[in-house]
Amino acid sequence: KFKFIIDSVKEKHYSPGELKKLLLSYLDNPKSTKQLSKESCRSQLRVLEVLRELKEENKVDWIKNKEGTFWMIKKRKQEILDKERIIMLDGINKLRSLTAISKKINIGRKSIRRRFKNYEDEYLIERNKKWWKMTEKGRLILGIDESGREILK
């Protein structure tokens, strides 16, 4: 029995740097450390160590939402944040609550408020009594002219 158990547990040993390359190839789409550890047959702790090294090298980054923390390639994160920004700016005009916007993009309502503050610092939106309104810079990003019509690109 003991020999059978020992033979059944085989782990591929990677050469130095190979696990980094392997994880980078898996990160085309956002994935959790649990998913990455299953794909690479390594513990979550080891995968997380390598991901932190890659983050220090500025190659990968993470994003957190209601489902958990997901790792991805740096430029993929920027694409996701840009899409979220457009949805949130669009939600300012169409949706009238932070909860509705948070359900639409799957982020907690407190995080939405924080991001609105960041957009306010970037002059994309401004506080208007109880709700926010878009500035000219925000309209340009969203593709809306002064009268509220979409600008065809």
Side-chain angles (χ1 to χ4, degrees), residues 5 33 43 52 55 73 87 97-98 105 126 137 142:
I5 292 172
T33 53
S43 70
R52 294 196 69 150
K55 184 171 172 34
I73 296 174
I87 291 170
S97 74
L98 294 177
I105 58 175
E126 60 188 13
K137 190 175 176 183
L142 197 55

Side-chain angles (χ1 to χ4, degrees), residues 76-95:
R76 178 82 171 117
K77 180 185 177 185
Q78 193 57 44
E79 292 170 7
I80 290 172
L81 290 177
D82 290 343
K83 286 179 186 176
E84 280 181 5
R85 176 183 291 167
I86 289 171
I87 291 170
M88 287 174 71
L89 290 176
D90 192 37
I92 288 175
N93 292 333
K94 296 179 180 172
L95 305 170

